[in-house]
Amino acid sequence: MQGKNLLLRVATLLTGLLECLGFAGVLFGWASLVFVFKTEHYFEELCESQANLTGNVTEQADCKAQDERFSLIFTLASFMNNFMTFPTGYIFDRFKTTVARLIAIFLYTSATLTIAFTSADSAPLLFLAMPMLTVGGILFLITNLQIGNLFGKHRSTIITLYNGAFDSSSSVFLIIKLLYEQGISLKASFIFISVCSAWHVGRTFLLMPQGHVPYPLPPNYSYGLCSEDGPREAEESNTESRRLELKSKEFVSPKEEIPGPGKQREPHSFWSYVFSQRFAWHLMWLSVIQLWHYLFIGTLNSLLTNLASGDRVLVSTYTNAFAITQFFGVLCAPWNGLLMDRLKQKYQEEARMTGSSASAAALRSAVPSLALTSLLCLGFAICASVPVLPLQYATFALQVISRSFLYGGNAAFLTLAFPSEHFGKLFGLVMALSAIVSLLQFPIFTLIKGPLQNDPFYVNVLLVLVTLLTFVHPFLVYRECRRKESSPEVA
C-alpha cells in the first residue's frame, strides 16, 4: 500500500506540474497571441488608412485604436489575475478541492471554446474570454500548490517549482503562434486545449483529494485512487493553516516563520498591520514593479512594431524570443527562495550567538531579495526604455528573472514580516490593491499613443524614477532590523 501511495503521489506531482506549465498562466504570453489576432484582422476596422498623395495607393494604416483595444483586454485580464486571488482562495478554502477545480475547469473551458469560435467579427468576446481564462488558471494553481504538503521536507521546493511553471506557461501562446504559422488554425489549437478539460476532470477525481491535503501529513494518509475515507478529520483540522499557505503566488513555509517568543507579547489587530508603514511600503514596492511588467507585456507587440518599423518578420522573431525566455521562469523562480533560506539560517545563527532578536534576523533575510528584485526591475526598465531593437533581448532576460523574483519575494516578505494568522488576508489584500494600481497601464498606453504621439520617452523616464523609490522599502526594513537586533530579545 505504501508503494502504491508513493506512486500516486508522484503521479499527482508530475501531472500537477504539467497542468501549471501547460494551462495555468498562459495569459502572460499575450504578445504571441496578439500577433495571431492581428494576422486574423481582429479589431482591424479600428485602423485608419492613410492615403498618400497619389490618391488610390494606401500606405501603412494607423492602428493606434486597435493596439489600445488589445491593451485594454490585457489590462482587464491581468487585473483579474491579481484581484481574484482573494475570492478564488476563499472558494478553495470554503468549498475545497473538487468544487474549486470543477469551477476552474468550467471557466477555463468556456474561455478556450469562446476564443476558438471567435472571429474578427466577434472579437469583442475576448473581453469576456480572457478574464475567464485567467481566473480558471489561478484556481488551477491554487489547488495544485497543496501537493507540496505530500512531500514533507521538499514542500517549499515543489511549491516554488509550481509557481515557476505558472510563469513559464506563457510559452503556450508561442506554441499556438508557431503552429498558426505552420498552417494550424487558431480554432483548432483552442479546441484541442478545450478537449484537454477531460484530462483535468479525470485528474480531479483520480489524482486529487476531495478536501485539502493536510500539513503536517497524518500517518497512512490516502486520497484519490487510494482513498479509504479515513483522513477526512485530519483534512478538516488543517484547513486554516493551509489557507495561509495555498493562496500565495510564491510560498514560504509557516514552519520556517519568525520564531516568535515575543510575538504574543503585543497582539495587534489585522487593520493595525494594514495601516502600518511596513505594509504601505511593501504595497508600493509590489505595485510599481508589477505595473512595469504588466505594461511591458501588454504593449510589447506595439513596442516591437514601432522599433521594427512595421516589419512583421522582425516583430515575429522578437515575439518568439520573448516567449522563449518566459519558459525559463520555471528555472529562475527557486533561486530567490534559496537565497532567502540560506541568509535566514545564517542570520538566525548569528542572532543566537549574540543574543539579538531572532525575529529581526529572520526578517533581515528578506532585504537582499527585495533589493535585488528592485535592481533587476530597474535594469529591465532602463533597457525597455531605450529604443534600440537588439537591446530588447537583454530586456527579455531581465524581465523574466525580475518577474520570477517578484512574487516569491512578495509572499516571503509577508510571511516573515507579519503574524501567520493574518498572512492569507494580507496577501489577498496586497494583491487586490496592486491590481487596482495595475489598471494604470491602459491610461499610460493611451497617453503614449495619443498626446505623446507614440513617443514613450517621458513616460519611461518618469516610471524609471518611480522605480528608484522601490529601493526605499528594503532600506527601511534593513534599518528596522538593525535597530531591533541592537536590543536583546526578551525571553
Side-chain angles (χ1 to χ4, degrees), residues 6 13 21-22 62 66 113 179 182 190 207 211 257 261 316 330 338-339 359 369 435 471 486-487:
L6 178 60
L13 170 67
L21 190 60
D62 176 16
Q66 182 190 36
L113 286 174
L179 291 174
Q182 296 301 314
F190 275 95
L207 296 178
E257 268 187 351
S316 178
V330 70
L338 181 62
L339 171 67
S359 61
S369 171
F471 288 95
S486 64
S487 57

Side-chain angles (χ1 to χ4, degrees), residues 331-441:
L331 303 178
C332 299
W335 290 102
N336 194 21
L338 181 62
L339 171 67
M340 295 187 67
D341 286 343
R342 292 292 176 88
L343 290 175
K344 185 177 175 183
Q345 294 173 13
K346 175 186 175 183
Y347 294 154
Q348 287 189 327
E349 182 63 31
E350 292 175 356
R352 280 192 289 270
M353 294 174 63
T354 60
S356 58
S357 169
S359 61
L363 182 58
R364 185 179 159 202
S365 67
V367 172
S369 171
L370 295 172
L372 181 57
T373 304
S374 294
L375 184 62
L376 286 167
C377 181
L378 181 63
F380 148 62
I382 291 173
C383 290
S385 301
V386 178
V388 176
L389 191 58
L391 186 61
Q392 300 316 305
Y393 287 119
T395 305
F396 299 161
L398 289 170
Q399 189 270 340
V400 72
I401 299 171
S402 173
R403 183 165 173 255
S404 66
F405 271 49
L406 174 63
Y407 294 105
N410 169 46
F413 177 79
L414 291 175
T415 306
L416 293 170
F418 302 99
S420 60
E421 63 266 23
H422 296 309
F423 174 79
K425 296 185 289 291
L426 288 170
F427 182 84
L429 182 62
V430 79
M431 293 300 285
L433 293 175
S434 67
I436 294 173
V437 175
S438 73
L439 291 174
L440 289 173
Q441 61 185 293

